[in-house]
Amino acid sequence: MCELSIWSDPMTGYLWCARLNVILGILAVVAGKNRLAAVAWPVVGLGWIMQSFFFLSAYGLTSLSGIAPNFTFAGLILCIWQLFCLKTDRGRQSLRLRASGVFLVLLALLSMVPEEFRHDTFMMSYIYAKAFFLSRPLSLGLTLFALGSAPDILWGKGTFKPLATAEAKQAAMLAALIFLGGEIAGCYWGFMGWGTTWRWSGNFLFSAMVFVLFMVALHVPRSVFSSAKAQAFALFLPLALVASGMIYSKVVQV
């Protein structure tokens, strides 16, 4: 009966997958950088693919502005990015595997926050609207991946810290570009629908501050700081503010 209800009611399947992904995220944290990680992470990836599938089955691509799609697709992109780096991270005993697992547990829990789903509307049928709403979770997932490098750079041991920093900056740069691309698409979407682009409002201010924080993280010169740890904090503190702001804005529906 449980299996039948999951497949006949995609939202039930979505909730079951979200609960499963909490457990799988904990498994990824426990597995850490050991041999079990090679088995655990592909299973984690499958869990997030299934959660995304059930959401799309229930609501499609025209209900992307809510809490559920935001954290579901953020978890999916974070998991995919970590899977690409799995072999490298295991080889150098990276702490990022545990950090990514913690973030996935958080995203799975957030994806179950109750909300009133918005149904299909004419305005959401525009490709620019889809690009705008998808850019936020994709950017969040990449930002969390970049933040996952913090334990290695701040407290880890080894000679790979410059490589970890470079990987974090690459992910943050891609997150910033996706976020900016989404804002441009959203501007055009607003112009087509309402005859104007973003006005000076809380949403515009939030978007501007997020992009400024991305630029601060990526472009503060090293010469400003006297130590490697200070340089690392200059990278990760703005990214932490970006991730916190994007999560808070969705959960409280600002």
Side-chain angles (χ1 to χ4, degrees):
M1 288 295 294
C2 182
E3 291 182 2
L4 288 176
S5 64
I6 286 176
W7 293 106
S8 60
D9 181 8
M11 204 56 206
T12 300
Y14 169 85
L15 290 173
W16 274 102
C17 283
R19 294 169 188 146
L20 175 63
N21 283 332
V22 173
I23 298 171
L24 292 178
I26 295 172
L27 175 63
V29 174
V30 172
K33 50 199 177 182
N34 300 320
R35 292 182 180 180
L36 181 58
V39 177
W41 274 97
V43 176
V44 173
L46 182 60
W48 282 96
I49 289 172
M50 291 299 296
Q51 183 171 333
S52 303
F53 168 79
F54 278 118
F55 176 82
L56 292 174
S57 298
Y59 294 101
L61 282 171
T62 52
S63 298
L64 298 174
S65 61
I67 295 173
N70 190 77
F71 297 122
T72 295
F73 294 123
L76 180 63
I77 192 67
L78 169 58
C79 190
I80 289 172
W81 212 257
Q82 183 59 75
L83 279 168
F84 277 127
C85 299
L86 179 61
K87 185 177 180 180
T88 304
D89 283 346
R90 285 186 62 234
R92 67 190 188 197
Q93 296 291 288
S94 174
L95 298 172
R96 184 166 56 201
L97 289 166
R98 293 187 189 275
S100 293
V102 170
F103 289 143
L104 287 176
V105 171
L106 173 64
L107 292 172
L109 290 171
L110 289 170
S111 70
M112 292 186 285
V113 173
E115 65 176 319
E116 183 178 344
F117 282 94
R118 303 172 185 178
H119 297 288
D120 300 355
T121 64
F122 171 73
M123 283 303 298
M124 286 296 293
S125 65
Y126 283 105
I127 185 65
Y128 306 102
K130 296 179 178 67
F132 169 68
F133 286 114
L134 276 175
S135 69
R136 297 294 182 92
L138 298 183
S139 180
L140 175 59
L142 288 166
T143 301
L144 291 175
F145 176 84
L147 282 172
S149 299
D152 284 327
I153 297 170
L154 292 172
W155 303 290
K157 298 179 181 179
T159 59
F160 54 82
K161 289 187 179 183
L163 178 58
T165 303
E167 290 174 344
K169 287 191 172 182
Q170 288 169 1
M173 176 64 79
L174 184 55
L177 291 174
I178 290 175
F179 185 86
L180 178 61
E183 294 303 307
I184 294 171
C187 282
Y188 188 63
W189 171 51
F191 179 75
M192 288 193 303
W194 297 280
T196 182
T197 56
W198 299 145
R199 298 178 179 179
W200 187 257
S201 64
N203 287 331
F204 175 83
L205 180 61
F206 169 77
S207 298
M209 289 307 300
V210 166
F211 191 72
V212 167
L213 287 169
F214 272 128
M215 294 302 100
V216 169
L218 291 167
H219 293 98
V220 172
R222 291 186 176 183
S223 57
V224 174
F225 304 98
S226 58
S227 68
K229 273 198 173 181
Q231 293 172 12
F233 274 112
L235 170 63
F236 292 119
L237 181 58
L239 293 181
L241 291 174
V242 167
S244 300
M246 293 179 78
I247 291 172
Y248 178 80
S249 68
K250 274 298 172 186
V251 172
V252 301
Q253 295 291 300
V254 173

